Amino acid sequence: MSGPHVIRGSVSLPEAELMWRFSRSSGPGGQHVNTSDSQVELRFDLAKTEALPEVWKRRALERLAGRLVDGVVTVRASEHRSQWRNRETAAVRLASLLAEATAPPPKPRKPTRIPRGINERRLREKKQRGDTKRGRTGRDWG
């Protein structure tokens, strides 16, 4: 593993709280695929962790409610043929998932009004366009 995986700022995933499980990956791979456990399943107990600040933990539990099973979030990786690379991928994926889930909510939109001049100009242009189209009728051609 290439060191601690930072979620945001000085907060990172604690290696002691990560639970790894390995299994055989599906798909092509020749004779080697039957003997190697390259698929990685990474589990992180979000409900019981002490690594995250309380505010972040609450936010993440709320936002990831659909993905959690008994407060545990699970990430799988099986893209690569090597277990080590799949471990890296799973850890990075978990860190980015937690970073997204713990991000502060966006600032509320400040409602603004359309300036009166812009609205008047729009109505004037609509009127002009209508007059142009009305001038195209074939009433006085005959």
Side-chain angles (χ1 to χ4, degrees), residues 106-121:
K107 290 181 181 174
R109 183 185 169 277
K110 190 175 173 183
T112 56
R113 290 185 63 223
I114 299 171
R116 192 170 36 162
I118 289 176
N119 209 21
E120 287 174 357
R121 184 180 67 199

PDB file of all heavy atoms in Angstrom, residues 106-121:
ATOM      1  N   PRO A 106     -23.562  22.678  -0.242  1.00  0.00           N
ATOM      2  CA  PRO A 106     -23.299  23.916  -0.995  1.00  0.00           C
ATOM      3  C   PRO A 106     -24.054  25.090  -0.390  1.00  0.00           C
ATOM      4  O   PRO A 106     -25.097  24.918   0.249  1.00  0.00           O
ATOM      5  CB  PRO A 106     -23.813  23.596  -2.400  1.00  0.00           C
ATOM      6  CG  PRO A 106     -24.789  22.493  -2.211  1.00  0.00           C
ATOM      7  CD  PRO A 106     -24.326  21.722  -1.018  1.00  0.00           C
ATOM      8  N   LYS A 107     -23.519  26.293  -0.600  1.00  0.00           N
ATOM      9  CA  LYS A 107     -24.179  27.491  -0.085  1.00  0.00           C
ATOM     10  C   LYS A 107     -25.523  27.657  -0.792  1.00  0.00           C
ATOM     11  O   LYS A 107     -25.633  27.405  -1.994  1.00  0.00           O
ATOM     12  CB  LYS A 107     -23.316  28.727  -0.349  1.00  0.00           C
ATOM     13  CG  LYS A 107     -22.060  28.743   0.490  1.00  0.00           C
ATOM     14  CD  LYS A 107     -21.246  29.979   0.218  1.00  0.00           C
ATOM     15  CE  LYS A 107     -19.973  29.961   1.044  1.00  0.00           C
ATOM     16  NZ  LYS A 107     -19.083  31.068   0.721  1.00  0.00           N
ATOM     17  N   PRO A 108     -26.540  28.068  -0.055  1.00  0.00           N
ATOM     18  CA  PRO A 108     -27.851  28.231  -0.701  1.00  0.00           C
ATOM     19  C   PRO A 108     -27.807  29.343  -1.749  1.00  0.00           C
ATOM     20  O   PRO A 108     -27.088  30.334  -1.588  1.00  0.00           O
ATOM     21  CB  PRO A 108     -28.779  28.597   0.458  1.00  0.00           C
ATOM     22  CG  PRO A 108     -27.900  29.057   1.560  1.00  0.00           C
ATOM     23  CD  PRO A 108     -26.568  28.401   1.361  1.00  0.00           C
ATOM     24  N   ARG A 109     -28.567  29.156  -2.808  1.00  0.00           N
ATOM     25  CA  ARG A 109     -28.598  30.138  -3.886  1.00  0.00           C
ATOM     26  C   ARG A 109     -29.291  31.393  -3.407  1.00  0.00           C
ATOM     27  O   ARG A 109     -30.353  31.353  -2.790  1.00  0.00           O
ATOM     28  CB  ARG A 109     -29.343  29.561  -5.091  1.00  0.00           C
ATOM     29  CG  ARG A 109     -29.351  30.494  -6.276  1.00  0.00           C
ATOM     30  CD  ARG A 109     -30.206  29.907  -7.398  1.00  0.00           C
ATOM     31  NE  ARG A 109     -30.428  30.890  -8.421  1.00  0.00           N
ATOM     32  CZ  ARG A 109     -31.365  31.828  -8.394  1.00  0.00           C
ATOM     33  NH1 ARG A 109     -32.170  31.905  -7.349  1.00  0.00           N
ATOM     34  NH2 ARG A 109     -31.510  32.688  -9.391  1.00  0.00           N
ATOM     35  N   LYS A 110     -28.676  32.524  -3.726  1.00  0.00           N
ATOM     36  CA  LYS A 110     -29.254  33.802  -3.352  1.00  0.00           C
ATOM     37  C   LYS A 110     -30.190  34.233  -4.481  1.00  0.00           C
ATOM     38  O   LYS A 110     -29.751  34.425  -5.615  1.00  0.00           O
ATOM     39  CB  LYS A 110     -28.113  34.809  -3.186  1.00  0.00           C
ATOM     40  CG  LYS A 110     -28.503  36.108  -2.578  1.00  0.00           C
ATOM     41  CD  LYS A 110     -27.255  36.950  -2.375  1.00  0.00           C
ATOM     42  CE  LYS A 110     -27.589  38.337  -1.911  1.00  0.00           C
ATOM     43  NZ  LYS A 110     -26.379  39.159  -1.788  1.00  0.00           N
ATOM     44  N   PRO A 111     -31.489  34.351  -4.209  1.00  0.00           N
ATOM     45  CA  PRO A 111     -32.407  34.695  -5.294  1.00  0.00           C
ATOM     46  C   PRO A 111     -32.162  36.126  -5.791  1.00  0.00           C
ATOM     47  O   PRO A 111     -31.955  37.043  -5.001  1.00  0.00           O
ATOM     48  CB  PRO A 111     -33.794  34.569  -4.654  1.00  0.00           C
ATOM     49  CG  PRO A 111     -33.580  34.615  -3.198  1.00  0.00           C
ATOM     50  CD  PRO A 111     -32.172  34.186  -2.929  1.00  0.00           C
ATOM     51  N   THR A 112     -32.169  36.288  -7.103  1.00  0.00           N
ATOM     52  CA  THR A 112     -31.954  37.612  -7.700  1.00  0.00           C
ATOM     53  C   THR A 112     -33.129  37.931  -8.619  1.00  0.00           C
ATOM     54  O   THR A 112     -33.805  37.035  -9.123  1.00  0.00           O
ATOM     55  CB  THR A 112     -30.660  37.627  -8.526  1.00  0.00           C
ATOM     56  OG1 THR A 112     -30.726  36.593  -9.500  1.00  0.00           O
ATOM     57  CG2 THR A 112     -29.436  37.414  -7.645  1.00  0.00           C
ATOM     58  N   ARG A 113     -33.340  39.222  -8.838  1.00  0.00           N
ATOM     59  CA  ARG A 113     -34.418  39.649  -9.731  1.00  0.00           C
ATOM     60  C   ARG A 113     -33.836  40.030 -11.082  1.00  0.00           C
ATOM     61  O   ARG A 113     -32.718  40.516 -11.172  1.00  0.00           O
ATOM     62  CB  ARG A 113     -35.141  40.862  -9.136  1.00  0.00           C
ATOM     63  CG  ARG A 113     -35.952  40.489  -7.899  1.00  0.00           C
ATOM     64  CD  ARG A 113     -36.759  41.671  -7.389  1.00  0.00           C
ATOM     65  NE  ARG A 113     -37.744  42.088  -8.388  1.00  0.00           N
ATOM     66  CZ  ARG A 113     -37.987  43.366  -8.683  1.00  0.00           C
ATOM     67  NH1 ARG A 113     -37.332  44.337  -8.084  1.00  0.00           N
ATOM     68  NH2 ARG A 113     -38.899  43.659  -9.573  1.00  0.00           N
ATOM     69  N   ILE A 114     -34.657  39.838 -12.136  1.00  0.00           N
ATOM     70  CA  ILE A 114     -34.241  40.256 -13.469  1.00  0.00           C
ATOM     71  C   ILE A 114     -34.393  41.773 -13.529  1.00  0.00           C
ATOM     72  O   ILE A 114     -35.460  42.299 -13.198  1.00  0.00           O
ATOM     73  CB  ILE A 114     -35.120  39.585 -14.542  1.00  0.00           C
ATOM     74  CG1 ILE A 114     -34.966  38.063 -14.459  1.00  0.00           C
ATOM     75  CG2 ILE A 114     -34.764  40.075 -15.928  1.00  0.00           C
ATOM     76  CD1 ILE A 114     -35.955  37.308 -15.321  1.00  0.00           C
ATOM     77  N   PRO A 115     -33.351  42.507 -13.964  1.00  0.00           N
ATOM     78  CA  PRO A 115     -33.472  43.962 -14.062  1.00  0.00           C
ATOM     79  C   PRO A 115     -34.596  44.370 -15.023  1.00  0.00           C
ATOM     80  O   PRO A 115     -34.851  43.693 -16.028  1.00  0.00           O
ATOM     81  CB  PRO A 115     -32.117  44.403 -14.619  1.00  0.00           C
ATOM     82  CG  PRO A 115     -31.189  43.284 -14.302  1.00  0.00           C
ATOM     83  CD  PRO A 115     -32.010  42.044 -14.290  1.00  0.00           C
ATOM     84  N   ARG A 116     -35.276  45.459 -14.688  1.00  0.00           N
ATOM     85  CA  ARG A 116     -36.428  45.892 -15.476  1.00  0.00           C
ATOM     86  C   ARG A 116     -36.042  46.211 -16.921  1.00  0.00           C
ATOM     87  O   ARG A 116     -36.784  45.909 -17.856  1.00  0.00           O
ATOM     88  CB  ARG A 116     -37.062  47.132 -14.827  1.00  0.00           C
ATOM     89  CG  ARG A 116     -38.419  47.452 -15.412  1.00  0.00           C
ATOM     90  CD  ARG A 116     -39.138  48.498 -14.643  1.00  0.00           C
ATOM     91  NE  ARG A 116     -38.214  49.499 -14.125  1.00  0.00           N
ATOM     92  CZ  ARG A 116     -38.549  50.709 -13.708  1.00  0.00           C
ATOM     93  NH1 ARG A 116     -39.793  51.073 -13.740  1.00  0.00           N
ATOM     94  NH2 ARG A 116     -37.659  51.551 -13.251  1.00  0.00           N
ATOM     95  N   GLY A 117     -34.867  46.814 -17.116  1.00  0.00           N
ATOM     96  CA  GLY A 117     -34.421  47.180 -18.469  1.00  0.00           C
ATOM     97  C   GLY A 117     -34.309  45.976 -19.385  1.00  0.00           C
ATOM     98  O   GLY A 117     -34.685  46.031 -20.553  1.00  0.00           O
ATOM     99  N   ILE A 118     -33.820  44.860 -18.853  1.00  0.00           N
ATOM    100  CA  ILE A 118     -33.661  43.642 -19.658  1.00  0.00           C
ATOM    101  C   ILE A 118     -35.024  43.107 -20.062  1.00  0.00           C
ATOM    102  O   ILE A 118     -35.240  42.704 -21.210  1.00  0.00           O
ATOM    103  CB  ILE A 118     -32.854  42.584 -18.869  1.00  0.00           C
ATOM    104  CG1 ILE A 118     -31.401  43.027 -18.764  1.00  0.00           C
ATOM    105  CG2 ILE A 118     -32.947  41.216 -19.525  1.00  0.00           C
ATOM    106  CD1 ILE A 118     -30.513  42.141 -17.935  1.00  0.00           C
ATOM    107  N   ASN A 119     -35.967  43.114 -19.137  1.00  0.00           N
ATOM    108  CA  ASN A 119     -37.311  42.621 -19.435  1.00  0.00           C
ATOM    109  C   ASN A 119     -37.990  43.502 -20.478  1.00  0.00           C
ATOM    110  O   ASN A 119     -38.623  43.000 -21.413  1.00  0.00           O
ATOM    111  CB  ASN A 119     -38.128  42.585 -18.143  1.00  0.00           C
ATOM    112  CG  ASN A 119     -39.190  41.516 -18.162  1.00  0.00           C
ATOM    113  OD1 ASN A 119     -39.103  40.571 -18.934  1.00  0.00           O
ATOM    114  ND2 ASN A 119     -40.199  41.683 -17.337  1.00  0.00           N
ATOM    115  N   GLU A 120     -37.845  44.827 -20.329  1.00  0.00           N
ATOM    116  CA  GLU A 120     -38.441  45.751 -21.305  1.00  0.00           C
ATOM    117  C   GLU A 120     -37.847  45.549 -22.686  1.00  0.00           C
ATOM    118  O   GLU A 120     -38.561  45.562 -23.689  1.00  0.00           O
ATOM    119  CB  GLU A 120     -38.246  47.198 -20.838  1.00  0.00           C
ATOM    120  CG  GLU A 120     -39.141  47.566 -19.671  1.00  0.00           C
ATOM    121  CD  GLU A 120     -38.846  48.952 -19.106  1.00  0.00           C
ATOM    122  OE1 GLU A 120     -37.907  49.618 -19.575  1.00  0.00           O
ATOM    123  OE2 GLU A 120     -39.566  49.354 -18.177  1.00  0.00           O
ATOM    124  N   ARG A 121     -36.525  45.357 -22.755  1.00  0.00           N
ATOM    125  CA  ARG A 121     -35.860  45.142 -24.039  1.00  0.00           C
ATOM    126  C   ARG A 121     -36.368  43.854 -24.689  1.00  0.00           C
ATOM    127  O   ARG A 121     -36.638  43.805 -25.894  1.00  0.00           O
ATOM    128  CB  ARG A 121     -34.349  45.077 -23.841  1.00  0.00           C
ATOM    129  CG  ARG A 121     -33.597  44.954 -25.165  1.00  0.00           C
ATOM    130  CD  ARG A 121     -32.112  44.887 -24.976  1.00  0.00           C
ATOM    131  NE  ARG A 121     -31.771  43.628 -24.301  1.00  0.00           N
ATOM    132  CZ  ARG A 121     -30.634  43.387 -23.668  1.00  0.00           C
ATOM    133  NH1 ARG A 121     -29.717  44.346 -23.595  1.00  0.00           N
ATOM    134  NH2 ARG A 121     -30.406  42.236 -23.100  1.00  0.00           N
TER     135      ARG A 121
END
